[in-house]
Amino acid sequence: MGMAGPLILVANPGSASRKYALFKDGQEHASLHFEHENGAVICTLRYGQESRAVDTREATLETAAASVAPLLRQYGITGSDTVSRIGLRIVAPSNYFLEHREITEEVTAALHHIQPRAPLHVTATLQELDALHEAFPNARIFGASDSAFHKTKPDYAWNYGISLADADRFELKRFGYHGLSVASVVQTLTAAGKLPPRLIVAHIGSGVSVTAVRGGRSLDTTMGYSPLEGPIMATRSGNLDITAAHALQDAMHLNNAALADYLHTASGLEGLGGSSDIRELLRREASGDHRATLALQTYVFSLQKAIGQMVAALGGADMLVFTGTVGERSAPIRERILTHLHYLDFFLAPKSNNACSNPDEPVLISRLAQSKPIMVVPANEAAQIALTVQHAQNL
């Protein structure tokens, strides 16, 4: 099954997983998903119509990259071909990383320089970079910026209400993230001839953001300097009064790193409801658990407000899209968010909504003739990263 021609490997390191996908001529041929299970690293390999759990000898996710090439060879997916180019998602707050860039020593140095400002995301990226260099010493690696899509935002959507001189000097701007996901939604809708003038994209996964898209370009988004800003997320607090953060820090005797860790990993649904898993919270709510009920209500309410905020930015909305793991898979969460959006002329078709639990193509879930379109569009960050690499190497 060997494939002639250049192969692009896409690497997408998450906080709890490592995802890889192999592309050729814009088509995905295989994907590998590594995660921890019962103290071991397990890998799900998908290729063709097959999906199988594969044993890896890797002890940690940080070294998962070393297994990628051997597994692809073992199952005859790459044959004699080699991976010549790699695309890696970059989440880093700075003007520098508003661009897609081929990874050079200069770019790696820039990542190290910015690491203290965004330790959680950048540390994972640097670990992954080391692992990829070691596993694929001859491949060119391209960094796909998760903020680049938001470069089109108007001047007034970039700034916080702080001294402009300080903000410019220290690059304290609302860079925005989930750009690769939103770009993939825009791409999908454009290809289907369905891109509206004013689009709202709600990316609801472990991270959560809502983006206002005008004419296919980002006008504003709820994530800011870091992916911590915006609605409540799985384990991230979302918007928080800085004074409350300082009060929390004092009361719990936390240093800055411990505070960041608390707000990124022990907050959101995890902090409110004791679980970051929507399915678990829905089960607990059904059995009368008040804490789970309150967590879900607060979460949905923060999303309804964020959608309203982005509709206000656009001066109205012609279509609403749900994407991301929860957005694509959780019919109850979509339904709850939409109960409050009738004022925008968004009305759910319950049957279509309930039937949509893990789509591989866009699905319309709104009431025909009564509602503006509401769609569930699977995010395809990997394909978007592969596309970025293709464009970059043609420059």
Side-chain angles (χ1 to χ4, degrees):
M1 188 184 155
M3 302 173 287
L7 301 180
I8 296 175
L9 180 73
V10 168
N12 196 345
S15 45
S17 66
R18 293 285 186 274
K19 290 185 281 196
Y20 302 91
L22 189 71
F23 283 80
K24 179 170 190 305
D25 301 328
Q27 298 299 309
E28 183 175 314
H29 282 273
S31 69
L32 302 100
H33 188 177
F34 295 83
E35 56 196 334
H36 283 292
E37 202 170 275
N38 306 326
V41 172
I42 60 148
C43 172
T44 308
L45 172 67
R46 287 195 177 82
Y47 59 99
Q49 299 303 307
E50 292 192 56
S51 177
R52 58 172 73 203
V54 181
D55 276 338
T56 71
R57 295 188 176 76
E58 302 307 326
T60 67
L61 286 173
E62 283 74 32
T63 56
S67 295
V68 173
L71 285 171
L72 292 173
R73 272 199 300 275
Q74 186 182 336
Y75 290 95
I77 297 164
T78 48
S80 61
D81 291 326
T82 52
V83 169
S84 58
R85 291 176 172 74
I86 297 174
L88 174 64
R89 184 169 73 121
I90 305 282
V91 175
S94 65
N95 296 337
Y96 189 80
F97 287 109
L98 278 172
E99 310 288 337
H100 304 304
R101 295 178 175 277
E102 181 166 359
I103 304 283
T104 57
E105 283 180 15
E106 176 196 290
V107 176
T108 309
L111 280 168
H112 279 289
H113 178 68
I114 206 156
Q115 189 176 8
R117 289 186 168 204
L120 294 163
H121 279 96
V122 177
T123 304
T125 303
L126 285 166
Q127 285 171 343
E128 188 61 18
L129 210 44
D130 284 345
L132 289 168
H133 275 310
E134 198 160 316
F136 300 93
N138 300 319
R140 290 168 68 186
I141 304 180
F142 295 84
S145 162
D146 208 26
S147 301
F149 181 76
H150 299 300
K151 274 196 309 195
T152 56
K153 293 195 309 176
D155 291 353
Y156 50 80
W158 284 95
N159 294 309
Y160 290 109
I162 59 174
S163 153
L164 201 53
D166 293 341
D168 285 348
R169 199 164 118 220
F170 305 122
E171 294 189 13
L172 299 172
K173 302 285 179 171
R174 300 190 63 251
F175 295 108
Y177 300 91
H178 283 160
L180 292 159
S181 164
V182 180
S184 85
V185 167
V186 168
Q187 187 106 5
T188 301
L189 293 175
T190 303
K194 290 196 166 77
L195 182 73
R198 299 170 303 178
L199 168 68
I200 300 286
V201 180
H203 178 116
I204 315 175
S206 54
V208 177
S209 71
V210 183
T211 301
V213 179
R214 185 162 62 196
R217 295 157 75 108
S218 177
L219 174 77
D220 198 13
T221 188
T222 54
M223 281 180 171
Y225 177 75
S226 83
L228 193 61
E229 190 177 346
I232 289 166
M233 311 186 201
T235 64
R236 291 177 223 161
S237 63
N239 290 338
L240 181 71
D241 180 342
I242 187 73
T243 315
H246 286 152
L248 175 73
Q249 190 169 14
D250 288 346
M252 292 185 69
H253 310 294
L254 304 173
N255 63 21
N256 287 348
L259 177 67
D261 198 52
Y262 182 103
L263 297 178
H264 277 91
T265 64
S267 300
L269 287 171
E270 181 67 49
L272 287 166
S275 170
S276 60
D277 187 329
I278 293 279
R279 294 162 300 185
E280 162 78 13
L281 290 167
L282 288 166
R283 278 195 296 272
R284 283 184 15 214
E285 179 189 53
S287 66
D289 181 327
H290 293 302
R291 188 179 165 194
T293 304
L294 182 65
L296 289 166
Q297 282 177 332
T298 313
Y299 177 74
V300 167
F301 186 52
S302 84
L303 265 154
Q304 289 165 336
K305 289 188 291 182
I307 289 167
Q309 202 185 347
M310 289 299 121
V311 172
L314 281 171
D318 304 305
M319 180 192 283
L320 173 63
V321 164
F322 289 99
T323 191
T325 326
V326 178
E328 292 166 34
R329 297 183 188 176
S330 182
I333 293 297
R334 292 191 301 256
E335 183 181 356
R336 290 178 193 199
I337 290 168
L338 284 155
T339 53
H340 196 57
L341 300 184
H342 294 166
Y343 74 99
L344 295 169
D345 291 329
F346 288 123
F347 295 90
L348 198 60
K351 253 192 176 147
S352 312
N353 183 48
N354 292 333
C356 177
S357 62
N358 194 9
D360 46 21
E361 56 187 15
V363 177
L364 191 70
I365 57 168
S366 45
R367 272 186 229 167
L368 296 174
Q370 188 190 0
S371 173
K372 289 178 175 172
I374 307 165
M375 295 190 82
V376 177
V377 179
N380 198 340
E381 289 172 317
Q384 201 59 34
I385 294 171
L387 203 64
T388 304
V389 172
Q390 255 172 328
H391 287 171
Q393 71 187 49
N394 294 337
L395 292 178

